[in-house]
Amino acid sequence: MILPIYIYGQPVLRKVSQDIPKDYPQQQQLIDNMFETLDASEGIGLAAPQVGLDIRVVVIDLNVLSEDFPEYAGFRKAFINPHIIEMDDTKTDTSEEGCLSLPGIHEKVTRPTRIHVRYEDADRVEHDEWVEGYLARVMQHEFDHLDAHMFIDRISPLRRQLIKNKLKGLTLGKYRCAYRTKPVRR
């Protein structure tokens, strides 16, 4: 089932998400719905708060980038209770980011290129690993949602001021996108 994507201004996007227990009801159905929603919106990552749930679940599909990044061919994965343990900021990269919850807004964000993460996969197998490159960027972006952050929190105050009217427009429902959304109710 395709779920509506919550748009900037929805309170759940600014709420810290909670870990889920191993017996979380309908976990696989949620993951399937999140992947279906991600596919329908043509995104590469989706966090549970973006579909209205304050729980630590993220889905990432980098297979769509496999032409430019062959190492991501077939990469389609769910992350349960993910946490960034450490960031190796000896090397950073600045790239443009967008977000399904911020339609029409794209800004350059600087992030470490290597991070240490802990998470469980969809089978609830625990992983503790260092991740680098583009996957590290996507993980940071999506895991930020779980900690009540968005990529616009990582841009300069000047850039934030310059997009202030666009952000206000999102809260007022003034945006267009090709996927199902849940705007802020006024």
Side-chain angles (χ1 to χ4, degrees), residues 30-120:
L30 172 61
I31 290 169
D32 292 345
N33 289 346
M34 287 178 68
F35 271 122
E36 189 174 348
T37 302
L38 183 64
D39 293 343
S41 61
E42 298 181 357
I44 59 172
L46 185 66
Q50 293 180 275
V51 293
L53 302 170
D54 62 342
I55 57 174
R56 297 188 78 86
V57 178
V58 165
V59 296
I60 295 175
D61 183 350
L62 296 183
N63 187 55
V64 297
L65 305 174
S66 62
E67 230 175 79
D68 294 326
F69 299 95
E71 65 271 29
Y72 297 130
F75 188 99
R76 187 173 170 94
K77 193 169 183 178
F79 299 84
I80 311 295
N81 300 330
H83 293 274
I84 295 175
I85 306 305
E86 184 180 352
M87 293 187 181
D88 176 1
D89 46 11
T90 56
K91 186 176 177 201
T92 60
D93 175 63
T94 302
S95 293
E96 190 172 272
E97 292 187 19
C99 180
L100 296 173
S101 293
L102 293 156
I105 296 178
H106 297 83
E107 291 291 328
K108 290 188 181 226
V109 179
T110 301
R111 295 189 186 268
T113 59
R114 187 170 177 260
I115 58 172
H116 178 199
V117 295
R118 276 196 198 119
Y119 63 91
E120 297 168 46

